[in-house]
């Protein structure tokens, strides 16, 4: 009788059932590594797998990589290169894939899911409790109503309905939000139709549903200077706003008051990520092709010339070398891209070393940032004359203009620029999960769920009232955000 009531252990479960539990997709690479340390059930190979899998967990990580949308879209040689770049460790490969996927939207932290986004003079934050903003409310970009001109701490944004926001993008004077249901809300200056509403008489001071996209679920938005890009769940791109340089991608220069589908993209590829510069747009396809359109000034389109492109054009430099692009960031005057093996490429205006190649020379086409080739990059971030690269161990590298301390280095007296990637020593004590940079300030999210900021704080874009410039990273208090959410 006692034997029949004996409690069961994990070791008693059938192997195929354990494997099914491990590969449901609910476990992260860190979770798998922890399991591997708890029982020989997980780190033993059981003699059922080929020798390239050291353990059951290793095999589970491989299976999870196989099912990941980035990995499954890679050619066999690209899959092999990623595996080799991860030192033959499938758990590290899985961590890389998850980190890249999360870095342009919500990241998982100990304090819940979060995203941080820097506008020109403001900062927006999403967490599990809601959406918050601080800084200058130019033309209603903070979304708090006409009576608010400035917020010195994170303040909750009210939406017309109960909506869980999952992604946000901010530009100089407007912002766009994507909800879990795929709806898009915008606020700010709509004089250029960039908010997607026909009413241009007055700014939109509170988030307003973009009616034209109401029945077209979206998963990402990207705010340019006077235009906005929308990426749908089906991989299509819509744009609206000013189109002087062809930045809307429709093959002409006519403005669009409301979002319209970029048919020229839809017929060639399914898009997985978008980015908007001041007057140009970028779109990454699921096959790794990068498309660019709009203003060719400063060589930002990557085609080796400064002509405007009225329709999306593939960046041939990547295609010729068989490089699979997985992420791109559009700066004011330059672009930085990440490939499927964690390599970084930059091009555009090289002023102040923003391209990281040790000089200030413009690069007309994408050039590999060889000084970071030993690191596995998981996020790239470009803004005004500066660039950040987040690598898989949580370290952040920066290069470019050091103005206002927004690059994060303390030795400003030595030079006003950093022309090659340097690790931010001021963040070494933290594992960084996401980075975003505005005109003169930068914010990061740590693995523990802290929000840190440095650089200019003249308009309280770092969420503090008493500081004007922060050379050292300071924590942006979440107390106001939490209390506001429960209030």
């Amino acid at each position: 009788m006692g034997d029949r009531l004996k409690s069961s252990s994990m070791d008693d479960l059938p192997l195929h059932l354990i494997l099914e539990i491990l590969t449901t997709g609910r476990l992260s690479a860190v979770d798998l590594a922890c399991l591997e340390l708890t029982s020989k059930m997980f780190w033993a190979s059981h003699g059922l797998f080929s020798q390239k899998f050291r353990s059951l967990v290793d095999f589970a990580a491989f299976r999870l990589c196989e099912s990941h949308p980035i990995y499954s879209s890679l050619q066999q040689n690209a899959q092999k290169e990623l595996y080799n770049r991860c030192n033959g460790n499938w758990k590290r490969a899985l961590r890389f894939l998850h980190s890249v996927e999360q870095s342009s939207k919500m990241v998982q932290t100990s304090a819940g899911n979060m995203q941080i986004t820097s506008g020109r003079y403001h900062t927006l934050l999403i967490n599990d409790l809601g959406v918050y903003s601080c800084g200058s409310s130019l033309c209603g970009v903070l979304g708090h109503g006409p009576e608010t001109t400035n917020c010195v701490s994170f303040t909750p944004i009210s939406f017309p309905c109960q909506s869980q926001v999952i992604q946000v993008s901010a530009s100089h004077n407007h912002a766009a939000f994507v909800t879990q249901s795929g709806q898009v809300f915008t606020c700010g200056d709509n004089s250029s139709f960039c908010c997607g509403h026909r009413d241009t008489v007055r700014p939109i001071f509170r988030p307003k549903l973009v009616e034209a996209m109401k029945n077209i679920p979206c998963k990402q938005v990207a705010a340019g200077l006077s235009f906005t890009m929308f990426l749908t769940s089906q991989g299509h791109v819509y744009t609206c706003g000013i189109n002087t340089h062809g930045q809307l991608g429709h093959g002409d220069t006519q403005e669009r008051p409301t979002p319209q589908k970029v048919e020229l993209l839809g017929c060639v590829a399914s898009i997985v990520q978008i980015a908007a510069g001041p007057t140009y747009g970028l779109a990454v396809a699921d096959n790794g092709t990068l498309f660019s359109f709009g203003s060719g000034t400063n060589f930002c389109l990557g085609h080796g010339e400064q002509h405007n492109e009225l329709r999306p054009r593939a960046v041939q430099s990547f295609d010729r070398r068989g490089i699979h692009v997985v992420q791109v960031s559009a700066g004011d005057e330059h672009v930085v891209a990440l490939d499927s093996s964690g390599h970084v490429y930059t091009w555009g205006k090289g002023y102040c070393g923003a391209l990281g190649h040790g000089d200030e020379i413009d690069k007309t086409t994408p050039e590999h940032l060889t000084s970071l080739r030993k690191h596995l990059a998981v996020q790239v971030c470009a803004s005004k004359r500066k660039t950040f690269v987040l690598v898989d161990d949580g370290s952040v590298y920066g290069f470019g203009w050091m103005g206002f301390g927004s690059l994060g280095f303390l030795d400003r007296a030595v030079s006003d620029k950093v022309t090659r990637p340097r690790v931010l020593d001021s963040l070494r004590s933290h594992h960084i999960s996401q980075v975003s940079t505005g005109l003169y300030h930068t914010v990061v999210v740590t693995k523990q769920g802290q929000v840190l900021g440095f650089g200019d704080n003249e308009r309280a874009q770092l969420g503090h009232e008493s500081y004007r410039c922060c050379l050292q990273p300071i924590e942006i208090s979440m107390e106001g955000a939490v209390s506001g959410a429960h209030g």
Side-chain angles (χ1 to χ4, degrees):
M1 183 72 174
D3 290 339
R4 287 203 302 262
L5 295 177
K6 184 179 179 181
S7 60
S8 299
S9 69
M10 183 68 78
D11 294 345
D12 298 323
L13 293 176
L15 196 60
H16 73 275
L17 184 57
I18 297 174
L19 185 59
E20 186 175 339
I21 294 171
L22 295 179
T23 57
T24 57
R26 295 175 181 270
L27 300 177
S28 68
V30 175
D31 294 330
L32 291 176
C34 290
L35 282 175
E36 203 169 29
L37 296 174
T38 62
S39 168
K40 68 177 182 179
M41 165 59 66
F42 298 112
W43 54 256
S45 67
H46 300 279
L48 298 179
F49 315 109
S50 65
Q51 290 186 351
K52 70 175 181 178
F53 301 114
R54 296 187 295 269
S55 69
L56 181 62
V57 162
D58 199 37
F59 181 68
F62 162 70
R63 290 279 296 272
L64 288 169
C65 285
E66 271 193 321
S67 63
H68 195 280
I70 293 178
Y71 187 85
S72 61
S73 67
L74 301 179
Q75 297 292 327
Q76 190 171 6
N77 60 334
Q79 291 179 345
K80 185 177 181 180
E81 184 181 357
L82 173 58
Y83 176 70
N84 291 335
R85 286 270 290 161
C86 293
N87 300 321
N89 187 325
W90 285 111
K91 293 186 293 295
R92 188 180 184 191
L94 182 63
R95 185 177 70 180
F96 166 78
L97 295 169
H98 283 167
S99 297
V100 172
E101 184 180 38
Q102 289 185 36
S103 62
S104 58
K105 46 186 181 182
M106 299 275 274
V107 293
Q108 296 175 350
T109 75
S110 300
N113 297 322
M114 301 175 69
Q115 186 202 352
I116 195 79
T117 299
S118 302
R120 200 170 183 88
Y121 299 112
H122 54 283
T123 303
L124 293 137
L125 166 74
I126 308 172
N127 64 20
D128 291 330
L129 298 173
V131 191
Y132 313 88
S133 59
C134 63
S136 173
S137 188
L138 180 67
C139 299
V141 70
L142 296 187
H144 298 306
E147 65 281 356
T148 302
T149 58
N150 203 69
C151 287
V152 297
S153 62
F154 276 134
T155 304
I157 302 174
S158 298
F159 283 76
C161 56
Q162 284 293 104
S163 304
Q164 177 64 49
V165 176
I166 60 171
Q167 195 257 329
V168 60
S169 180
S171 183
H172 174 58
N173 54 9
H174 78 287
F177 311 84
V178 181
T179 69
Q180 198 163 35
S181 63
Q183 293 187 316
V184 178
F185 291 81
T186 56
C187 62
D189 182 11
N190 192 43
S191 60
S192 62
F193 298 113
C194 60
C195 289
H197 310 290
R198 290 187 178 275
D199 180 11
T200 59
V201 176
R202 61 186 65 82
I204 301 166
F205 289 104
R206 298 185 188 278
K208 181 179 179 181
L209 177 67
V210 180
E211 292 287 345
M213 302 297 292
K214 186 175 182 179
N215 298 314
I216 308 173
C218 290
K219 61 181 180 181
Q220 190 196 346
V221 285
L225 183 59
S226 298
F227 75 108
T228 304
M229 301 172 66
F230 306 77
L231 176 60
T232 74
S233 300
Q234 299 298 315
H236 302 301
V237 175
Y238 287 70
T239 56
C240 64
I242 293 296
N243 195 28
T244 309
H245 306 280
Q247 58 263 48
L248 300 188
H250 298 293
D252 56 44
T253 56
Q254 298 176 6
E255 63 187 23
R256 300 298 195 280
T258 58
Q260 288 190 16
K261 184 178 178 180
V262 182
E263 300 287 355
L264 298 168
L265 266 179
C267 63
V268 295
S270 177
I271 303 303
V272 294
Q273 193 237 333
I274 53 176
T279 53
Y280 66 95
L282 302 167
V284 179
D286 59 355
N287 64 1
T289 299
L290 173 64
F291 295 89
S292 61
F293 44 95
S295 173
T297 304
N298 299 316
F299 304 102
C300 285
L301 300 186
H303 304 304
E305 54 201 26
Q306 298 195 71
H307 304 310
N308 292 349
E309 295 288 343
L310 304 185
R311 59 185 64 210
R313 178 182 172 188
V315 179
Q316 294 297 326
S317 173
F318 287 127
D319 288 349
R320 284 195 298 267
R321 289 181 282 174
I323 295 169
H324 186 116
V325 177
V326 294
Q327 187 184 108
V328 66
S329 180
D332 285 20
E333 303 163 327
H334 73 290
V335 181
V336 55
L338 174 69
D339 77 4
S340 59
S341 296
H343 292 296
V344 179
Y345 305 82
T346 59
W347 64 96
K349 192 172 183 63
Y351 186 64
C352 287
L355 303 184
H357 298 292
D359 54 41
E360 296 186 62
I361 301 172
D362 297 348
K363 309 299 179 188
T364 63
T365 58
E367 188 164 321
H368 184 206
L369 195 55
T370 56
S371 59
L372 286 177
R373 64 180 177 273
K374 293 182 179 179
H375 299 280
L376 197 66
V378 296
Q379 187 199 356
V380 290
C381 181
S383 183
K384 180 76 170 181
R385 300 175 182 171
K386 59 183 180 294
T387 306
F388 293 95
V389 176
L390 174 63
V391 300
D392 74 331
D393 68 358
S395 301
V396 178
Y397 287 78
F399 44 96
W401 185 51
M402 297 179 69
F404 295 91
S406 63
L407 198 56
F409 298 113
L410 306 182
D411 52 349
R412 289 180 61 200
V414 178
S415 173
D416 64 347
K417 58 197 171 194
V418 175
T419 60
R420 292 186 185 278
R422 276 178 53 189
V423 69
L424 270 68
D425 289 323
S426 57
L427 293 175
R428 276 190 185 276
S429 60
H430 303 278
H431 186 291
I432 305 303
S433 295
Q434 189 175 74
V435 57
S436 179
T437 184
L439 182 62
Y440 302 130
H441 76 291
T442 301
V443 287
V444 300
V445 173
T446 73
K447 189 177 180 179
Q448 299 302 315
Q450 294 173 289
V451 179
L452 307 175
F454 47 90
D456 181 36
N457 190 47
E458 184 70 28
R459 307 190 190 192
Q461 55 264 55
L462 296 181
H464 287 272
E465 187 175 13
S466 55
Y467 301 100
R468 288 294 171 263
C469 184
C470 301
L471 299 183
Q472 290 270 17
I474 58 171
E475 183 170 2
I476 303 177
S477 173
M478 303 289 290
E479 291 181 7
V482 174
S483 61
H486 292 294

